[in-house]
Amino acid sequence: SRARQYGKERRVSTTFKDVAGHTEAKRELMEVVDFLKNPQKYIAIGAEIPKGVLLVGPPGTGKTLLSRAIAGEAGVPFFSVSASEFMEMFVGVGASRVRSLFEEARRNAPAIIFIDELDSIGRKRGAGIGGGHDEREQTLNQILSEMDGFEKDTSVIVLAATNRPDILDPALLRPGRFDREVVIGLPTMEERKEILLVHMRGKPIASDVEVMELAQITPGMSGADLKNLVNEAALQAAREGYNQIHMSHFRTALDKIMLGLERGTLKLS
Ligand code: ATP
């Protein structure tokens, strides 16, 4: 169905509680939640609701998770699309998809549109070898014109994720488009501990598991990597026939992940 195609979720149960760390980002994004919950408050005083927010950071740090949590906190529907999908389409299909996506969101406003991997279509226009990609440019132009076409009182907010803000077409960053940027960085040690705890929730974790130590020995890992570590440890425990996940299972899982990385057979996030 069309709704499924666009990744529409009517009821989103994710909230900020599911997102560990990112305290500053959450504080900034609370304002977006408030816009979506009480658009009238802003419209009445003549303030324009922001249309676009860029979430900037490396893969797997929780940009999708945070966007979904905003929808969950505000109680509004979530429409998501990955911009890289447009690259494989015939000319004209991407643009018409964008049109229907925005149309549906407007019909269900207040709502959130989430565009993952914006950089795949958002690169500077005309910068491609051999004159650029027609489909890409048409899709990008359609996004720009949809955002320009929002009425002042349209409470649809477009969130977009990228890890390459430097290569984006400057037209995307103009006022009234993605004019706000929130940085979603790799977690600190303390945040890695919090993320591990989120993903250990509800799992039979043995009392010998030292979460702080795990946080110390996983520098550079993203939220997605840590989630994977907890799952690999659980698999290891099951493989060995345990009914609880022990510290040794975490160590084995981590060794395997590191070995995979060295061999280049496994990629983090
Ligand atoms: P990408 O840019 O590759 O899409 P992303 O930044 O959008 O990555 P998510 O897809 O949101 O990352 O993260 C993947 C998964 O990793 C999430 O579903 C979640 O389970 C886990 N995760 C990432 N960051 C966090 C976090 N801060 N707290 C809890 N879980 C996290």
Side-chain angles (χ1 to χ4, degrees):
S1 77
R2 229 167 73 169
R4 174 166 301 159
Q5 198 174 1
Y6 300 130
K8 175 163 107 174
E9 286 175 46
R10 280 209 156 274
R11 247 165 302 154
V12 181
S13 57
T14 309
T15 66
F16 281 159
K17 275 204 219 74
D18 300 302
V19 186
H22 299 317
T23 313
E24 179 56 24
K26 281 189 207 165
R27 203 186 51 77
E28 286 176 53
L29 293 168
M30 247 346 259
E31 203 186 10
V32 174
V33 173
D34 199 51
F35 287 136
L36 293 166
K37 270 171 118 170
N38 312 298
Q40 285 312 322
K41 180 169 111 189
Y42 297 89
I43 294 163
I45 206 159
E48 269 182 49
I49 291 176
K51 296 175 187 171
V53 180
L54 208 57
L55 304 177
V56 177
T61 45
K63 296 182 287 298
T64 310
L65 185 68
L66 259 171
S67 304
R68 192 173 279 126
I70 294 170
E73 292 278 345
V76 305
F78 182 77
F79 299 85
S80 71
V81 70
S82 175
S84 63
E85 288 168 29
F86 295 128
M87 299 302 284
E88 288 136 37
M89 288 180 183
F90 296 112
V91 173
V93 177
S96 86
R97 264 233 204 174
V98 167
R99 211 174 301 122
S100 354
L101 176 71
F102 276 76
E103 220 174 76
E104 251 215 293
R106 271 195 291 263
R107 236 191 347 259
N108 290 282
I112 284 186
I113 293 176
F114 175 68
I115 305 176
D116 204 1
E117 302 180 78
L118 181 67
D119 32 302
S120 66
I121 54 161
R123 272 179 294 123
K124 290 181 188 71
R125 282 167 292 185
I129 300 161
H133 190 293
D134 272 356
E135 178 55 13
R136 188 181 76 78
E137 293 202 359
Q138 284 191 17
T139 310
L140 174 57
N141 288 337
Q142 190 64 36
I143 292 176
L144 295 174
S145 88
E146 291 291 344
M147 290 181 82
D148 291 345
F150 279 168
E151 302 289 331
K152 275 199 172 58
D153 59 353
T154 308
S155 41
V156 172
I157 296 185
V158 189
L159 300 167
T162 178
N163 53 0
R164 291 298 308 275
D166 53 309
I167 62 166
L168 291 180
D169 196 304
L172 275 167
L173 309 175
R174 255 178 236 147
R177 292 171 180 167
F178 294 99
D179 51 11
R180 294 183 173 219
E181 196 177 297
V182 176
V183 176
I184 313 293
L186 282 173
T188 61
M189 187 164 70
E190 197 51 52
E191 288 169 334
R192 289 197 296 276
K193 182 183 160 195
E194 280 182 51
I195 294 170
L196 285 164
L197 286 171
V198 164
H199 293 284
M200 286 176 179
R201 249 188 235 156
K203 295 194 176 71
I205 303 294
S207 58
D208 69 343
V209 171
E210 296 286 347
V211 184
M212 198 59 221
E213 191 188 330
L214 290 173
Q216 280 163 350
I217 59 179
T218 49
M221 281 201 170
S222 68
D225 300 329
L226 295 165
K227 176 191 185 177
N228 179 46
L229 172 63
V230 175
N231 189 55
E232 286 294 330
L235 288 171
Q236 188 59 31
R239 235 175 252 136
E240 293 181 22
Y242 283 80
N243 51 19
Q244 283 195 318
I245 312 170
H246 289 264
M247 191 65 175
S248 65
H249 302 132
F250 279 97
R251 289 191 202 284
T252 308
L254 190 59
D255 285 348
K256 277 195 181 169
I257 290 170
M258 291 305 182
L259 199 66
L261 279 177
E262 270 169 32
R263 289 199 186 133
T265 52
L266 227 156
K267 220 174 133 268
L268 279 187
S269 17

